[in-house]
Structures are given as structure tokens and as C-alpha cells.
Amino acid sequence: MTKLDCGYVFDGMNESERNVKHIVDFIIAAICLVIFSPLFLICYILVKREDGGPAIFKQERIGRFGRPFYIYKFRSMRVDAEKNGPALYQHEKDTRMTKIGKFLHAHHLDELPQLWNVLKGEMSFIGPRPEREFYIKQILERDPRYVYLYHASTIFLLVNLFLYNSRE
């Protein structure tokens, strides 16, 4: 893998390719926000109506090059779901889910507000999924190569990290 002077791994895209990717992400996100706006409104009302808590959930995530940002989702769990600290979703056994939240999560509708993150350039449609710092630290203890996910595009990462390392 090609490491730059700043310590980041080259992502396989030149500046113009990166700009085109950002513009395409922006256009698709903007179009989707307009098309799905009635669905946004329905989801918002249903979540708000269920328990009166906030409809939008925001959580700090770590993005590309380790930059923190807030990811937005429709809230699918009780307001106090993480009062005892971060916990992973337990699927059918998870009692923290609301009734509407189960439906939204099962149909990935809770992810719709992330279109705003894509529009703002904090996320991309193609690339590694931003994760919480709490979990990144745990993963890095077991496999330090995980840090490369935040520096490289997915295709470049697969080709150079996993295939290249398997030849050694």
C-alpha cells in the first residue's frame, strides 16, 4: 500500500475523481431527499407519536481520515437505550426497540436521515461505514489494520490490504 507523508493511505482516486464522486453523491442525495420527503414526514410523525421523544437520533461517528461527525437516524430505540453505555443491537432479543422502531429498522427506513450526511459530504454512498469511536478502539486492539478503512476506498482497500497481504 502506498502511504503518504501525512500518514494516510492513498485511496486510489485522484482529485478530479474524488470531486466527481462527491458531486454524484450530492446530486443523488438531493434527489432522494426530495423524492422521499413524504416518507420522511410519515416516519417523523410515527416516531414522535409513539412516545413523544425526539424523532431524530444523532450519534458521533468517525469518518474518513478519522474525522468525527454526527450521523442522523430516525430513532428506533427508547430514549434511554444506552443509559448503561454503548450496546450493539441484539436483533429479535433487543428490548430497547420501540414498535415503530422495529418496523423502521427492519425496512432500513431509520437510515433515511443519513441522506443529509451524504448531502453535507460527511458520508458517501460507496465507502466504509462510519463507526463509533468506542467500537473502533475495541477492533483496533484485535486488528490494527482496521485503521486503513478510514483512509481508503472500499475497492482499493480490498485489493491492496487483503489480497496483497495474502501473498506474503
Side-chain angles (χ1 to χ4, degrees):
M1 283 197 279
T2 308
K3 210 162 196 186
L4 303 175
D5 292 335
C6 60
Y8 295 120
V9 176
F10 177 65
D11 64 7
M13 291 189 289
N14 62 38
E15 188 175 347
S16 62
E17 291 170 333
R18 207 173 288 113
N19 288 337
V20 167
K21 182 179 183 222
H22 179 69
I23 290 167
V24 169
D25 279 344
F26 180 86
I27 291 169
I28 292 172
I31 291 169
C32 287
L33 280 167
V34 171
I35 290 172
F36 294 119
S37 60
L39 189 56
F40 271 82
L41 183 61
I42 292 167
C43 292
Y44 182 89
I45 291 169
L46 290 174
V47 172
K48 192 75 172 161
R49 227 176 111 198
E50 184 166 21
D51 62 9
I56 302 291
F57 173 73
K58 84 176 183 180
Q59 184 178 68
E60 188 175 88
R61 297 287 179 105
I62 305 300
R64 191 160 187 256
F65 298 131
R67 294 183 194 125
F69 71 96
Y70 284 104
I71 196 170
Y72 299 98
K73 292 183 170 199
F74 283 117
R75 186 173 54 83
S76 58
M77 296 188 177
R78 293 187 327 257
V79 176
D80 65 347
E82 292 192 334
K83 66 181 177 199
N84 298 324
L88 292 173
Y89 174 61
Q90 302 295 318
H91 301 284
E92 292 81 30
K93 297 183 281 182
D94 205 325
T95 59
R96 301 172 300 157
M97 298 290 284
T98 64
K99 288 178 185 175
I100 296 298
K102 285 179 186 176
F103 177 82
L104 294 176
H105 189 75
H107 296 88
H108 304 283
L109 296 173
D110 59 332
E111 312 268 346
L112 279 176
Q114 292 174 32
L115 289 169
W116 180 248
N117 292 111
V118 175
L119 191 76
K120 289 172 50 180
E122 297 168 330
M123 289 177 63
S124 180
F125 285 113
I126 299 174
R129 178 147 175 83
E131 189 51 83
R132 295 166 69 178
E133 187 174 18
F134 176 84
Y135 295 114
I136 291 173
K137 287 179 180 178
Q138 290 181 10
I139 295 167
L140 285 173
E141 287 176 7
R142 294 197 169 112
D143 189 352
R145 294 177 303 167
Y146 184 78
V147 74
Y148 293 122
L149 280 176
Y150 295 95
H151 306 305
S153 68
T154 307
I155 300 298
F156 188 80
L157 179 77
L158 288 173
V159 171
N160 286 290
L161 182 61
F162 297 110
L163 298 179
Y164 176 77
N165 287 338
S166 66
R167 288 189 240 149
E168 293 178 348

